[in-house]
Amino acid sequence: MSYVNPARFTTRPEIEGTFGVVTSTHWIATAVGMATLEKGGNAFDAAVATAFTLQVVEPHLNGPGGDVPIVLHDVRKGRTEVICGQGPAPAGATIAYYRGLGLDMVPGTGLLAACVPGTFESWMLLLRDYGTLRLADVLGPAIHYAREGHPLLERAEATIRSVEQLFREHWPTSAAVWLPGGRVPEAGSLFANPTLADTYTRILREAEAGGGSREQEIERARKAWSDGFVADAVDRFCRTRKVMDTSGEAHRGVLSGHDMATFRPRVEAPLTYDYGRYTVCKPGPWAQGPVLLQQLALLKGFALDGADVTGPDFIHAVVECAKLAYADRETFYGDPDFVRVPMDVLLSDAYNDARRALVAPTASLEFRPGSVEGYGAAVTVRQATGSRAAVAPSGAGEPTVGRMGTVRGDTVHFDIVDRAGNMVSATPSGGWLQSSPVIPELGFCLGTRAQMFWLQEGHPAALAPGKRPRTTLSPTLALRDGEPYLAWGTPGGDQQDQWALQFFLRHVHAGLNLQEAIDAPAWHSEHFPISFWPRTARPGVLVVEERVPAETRRELAARGHGIEVGPAWSEGRLTAAARDGWRRRAAANPRGMQGYAAGR
């Protein structure tokens, strides 16, 4: 007789402890975050250290010139907040200027697509107002790995190889960093970026030079970045260099030092939606996050408890609701500082009851946004030809996991819970090595988030100076029975709020633990326009992992879905962390570019 109670299979155990947990998309960053907790830092200190390390060890996925939304719960304040680290369009970025260059879309690469970098200022705000450690404590690991080197990821090598000719022919400053010795560095080789190490070392040196409190030190670091040598180098590069981009022509940038000096990240209240015992918290409609909330509002009308999460009924309902919510995203979302976004209507029971009635037994092939009088704008849906994975050989768009397992890059994500119960969920992105040329004095490039604007007057997401682009970056935090409970998210552009939703539904309705919910077979719809250049859609296409049962795939095809089957482990890079009473739990993605969780 056996007394062993066999657990359900997972690719790795769900981490459980009492002290704290860190889960991220890279093992070194996870280790750095955990070490920060162990030396006395809180979750916010660990977040800053993790984030700077991710810039170094996953440079094809994020960088110093990028952007970040952060959702956090501060035990001391007793509330959940959002830090908007999405930099706005430069003062010189007008529709007329871009149209005058003969453009009908903002290019997917190069300097014209650069918004104000938002990451550094956001991490300094988090460290100053929520953290406890000094700047050297959180910058030190990133400086070490940039100067001494780290094992180059296989996917980083593949990304560099994919843009090798672009670097050689048009972006020589990038070739100088990413083609050391004139060659693509091999996966697993020790790769260093000493110029980036010098940049952060100089910031730290200038920050510490005046002595004083940690707050004064952080303020001097901010000045060095936004109103000092970093901003000067950015300004000079954008003014003096003409850079080849996806338009096929070379252009100068419009981002200036003054744009950087006047930017400050802001702290906002999250948008929320009550779903049974849970209150789900997301960034506002300057990001795509509310699309997850509206999917919940639509799915609330389905009986999902105990559902077969790999069965055709469940997948069909989730996909058809996603189509409706994402159509509303394209039609209504934008920076609420510039346009009115009717979130109260879009998340209301009456509106979603009417929208839910559109879900039929068969798949819709139409783009069907709702109507709210006085809001939104019509969207012209351009259909893609072939696979999205073939788009943008020169590195355009937010790099994301493509169908059939091909990868152009991605984004990063991490979740942290400390002993006190402080929680952080963050999705840093942008400034990928393939975004635009390296600024030679700094060792990093600018981001390309402005490609998400429409050059269409009157659209809520139309380009305007000082306006935030409607980013896809979308961390999530949920309360359960009024208590902060779960932080989670994933890289993946438009797919982020499909994969994050699937994880949540599996956990809530099927009772899967965090790791089981991540491991379960996944899918994504390509029915709606992607948010990045070239802004195309593939109506009705549903990409599923081959682990989705064959019977389910056949039934979905019979219902009209255009089924495309990807490799067994190809959908999403989720991480998740929870506080459940005295327990701290975490789990991480086993797919492709694997995530790593640690805790004790």
Side-chain angles (χ1 to χ4, degrees):
M1 178 181 295
S2 173
Y3 294 96
V4 176
N5 180 19
R8 288 176 290 193
F9 171 79
T10 55
T11 58
R12 58 192 70 188
E14 181 188 59
I15 298 295
E16 184 173 84
T18 61
F19 177 78
V21 289
V22 178
T23 179
S24 85
T25 49
H26 195 286
W27 67 90
I28 290 176
T30 294
V32 166
M34 197 66 207
T36 304
L37 292 181
E38 288 171 338
K39 70 181 178 184
N42 64 17
F44 312 120
D45 299 310
V48 179
T50 299
F52 279 119
T53 302
L54 284 168
Q55 293 174 6
V56 175
V57 299
E58 294 194 299
H60 56 309
L61 314 181
N62 75 135
D67 30 51
V68 60
I70 306 163
V71 185
L72 62 93
H73 185 85
D74 184 350
V75 170
R76 183 182 44 129
K77 293 183 178 180
R79 63 176 179 263
T80 302
E81 296 176 319
V82 170
I83 295 177
C84 174
Q86 176 54 64
T94 66
I95 291 177
Y97 179 76
Y98 285 66
R99 290 284 189 183
L101 296 173
L103 300 171
D104 63 357
M105 284 187 291
V106 178
T109 60
L111 297 179
L112 281 178
C115 286
V116 177
T119 54
F120 188 86
E121 284 277 8
S122 298
W123 299 128
M124 292 302 98
L125 185 155
L126 185 67
L127 183 65
R128 184 193 66 197
D129 294 352
Y130 301 84
T132 62
L133 299 181
R134 309 287 295 211
L135 187 61
D137 297 318
V138 297
L139 260 182
I143 292 172
H144 168 82
Y145 288 110
R147 191 173 305 285
E148 302 300 327
H150 54 92
L152 188 72
L153 291 172
E154 180 182 354
R155 297 291 171 79
E157 178 201 348
T159 301
I160 296 168
R161 195 173 299 282
S162 73
V163 289
E164 177 184 1
Q165 288 308 115
L166 175 69
F167 287 1
R168 292 189 189 281
E169 296 174 11
H170 299 292
W171 295 1
T173 58
S174 291
V177 173
W178 303 110
L179 302 175
R183 298 185 301 275
V184 176
E186 293 183 4
S189 63
L190 194 64
F191 185 87
N193 185 346
T195 305
L196 177 58
D198 290 344
T199 295
Y200 280 142
T201 298
R202 180 174 172 183
I203 289 174
L204 184 58
R205 184 170 63 248
E206 292 188 14
E208 293 177 336
S213 67
R214 58 184 295 278
E215 291 78 11
Q216 291 171 317
E217 194 175 88
I218 292 167
E219 185 61 27
R220 287 191 291 269
R222 282 191 52 260
K223 184 173 177 60
W225 177 275
S226 293
D227 199 19
F229 79 95
V230 174
D232 289 344
V234 170
D235 183 281
R236 185 165 52 250
F237 193 81
C238 288
R239 281 188 294 105
T240 62
R241 302 289 186 111
K242 293 188 75 172
V243 167
M244 180 63 68
D245 56 44
T246 54
S247 72
E249 297 182 5
H251 296 102
R252 289 187 176 87
V254 294
L255 179 64
S256 72
H258 183 262
D259 293 317
M260 291 182 63
T262 53
F263 167 72
R264 295 291 182 275
R266 66 175 71 175
V267 178
E268 304 175 349
L271 276 177
T272 63
Y273 185 77
D274 291 333
Y275 186 77
R277 299 173 62 191
Y278 300 88
T279 299
V280 183
C281 306
K282 299 290 281 188
W286 49 265
Q288 76 171 7
V291 79
L292 186 145
L293 305 183
Q294 189 179 353
Q295 289 176 88
L296 290 175
L298 290 162
L299 288 164
K300 190 167 68 172
F302 293 86
L304 298 181
D305 282 344
D308 175 3
V309 294
T310 62
D313 291 341
F314 179 83
I315 296 176
H316 177 78
V318 172
V319 170
E320 293 305 295
C321 289
K323 291 176 182 178
L324 297 171
Y326 274 85
D328 283 350
R329 179 198 74 169
E330 288 302 300
T331 302
F332 296 108
Y333 289 17
D335 185 346
D337 290 348
F338 285 74
V339 296
R340 296 186 303 159
V341 183
M343 289 312 310
D344 55 338
V345 175
L346 296 179
L347 297 181
S348 68
D349 286 343
Y351 180 81
N352 286 290
D353 288 347
R355 297 284 277 153
R356 190 184 307 112
L358 297 175
V359 176
T362 56
S364 171
L365 301 182
E366 300 176 61
F367 181 74
R368 299 184 293 179
S371 177
V372 182
E373 186 174 354
Y375 295 88
V379 174
T380 301
V381 180
R382 300 163 18 139
Q383 294 194 23
T385 56
S387 165
R388 282 187 181 168
V391 168
S394 58
E398 177 174 295
T400 186
V401 179
R403 97 180 165 93
M404 306 307 291
T406 57
V407 177
R408 298 198 307 272
D410 214 316
T411 294
V412 300
H413 182 84
F414 63 83
D415 302 292
I416 301 174
V417 184
D418 67 19
R419 188 178 213 167
N422 296 305
M423 303 177 70
V424 182
S425 182
T427 312
S429 188
W432 320 287
L433 67 86
Q434 64 273 30
S435 305
S436 66
V438 166
I439 300 170
E441 304 97 317
L442 301 178
F444 66 84
C445 64
L446 296 172
T448 55
R449 192 65 60 182
Q451 68 184 283
M452 305 188 71
F453 285 115
W454 293 89
L455 297 182
Q456 175 185 331
E457 296 284 1
H459 191 281
L463 176 66
K467 189 176 184 180
R468 293 172 287 183
R470 201 273 301 140
T471 180
T472 53
L473 305 176
S474 194
T476 318
L477 193 147
L479 285 64
R480 187 174 67 181
D481 300 328
E483 292 295 322
Y485 169 63
L486 180 64
W488 79 102
T490 176
D494 299 279
Q495 284 86 285
Q496 289 181 35
D497 284 303
Q498 297 186 66
W499 293 327
L501 175 72
Q502 293 167 37
F503 163 86
F504 182 67
L505 296 175
R506 294 174 196 132
H507 182 58
V508 169
H509 292 292
L512 302 186
N513 72 27
L514 303 186
Q515 192 62 51
E516 291 167 340
I518 288 174
D519 286 353
W523 62 86
H524 74 271
S525 171
E526 299 198 345
H527 179 79
F528 45 85
I530 59 174
S531 298
F532 298 88
W533 186 94
R535 309 303 292 265
T536 53
R538 303 178 70 216
V541 170
L542 177 60
V543 182
V544 302
E545 290 181 338
E546 67 181 14
R547 294 184 301 127
V548 171
E551 182 178 343
T552 294
R553 301 199 304 262
R554 285 192 294 269
E555 175 60 24
L556 290 171
R559 297 186 189 191
H561 297 277
I563 300 297
E564 295 183 358
V565 182
W569 298 92
S570 56
E571 293 282 316
R573 294 181 63 210
L574 283 151
T575 67
R579 49 172 277 191
D580 186 4
W582 53 266
R583 289 181 174 86
R584 303 290 177 260
R585 292 190 169 116
N589 161 63
R591 297 165 170 87
M593 294 176 284
Q594 295 183 6
Y596 297 85
R600 68 175 180 86

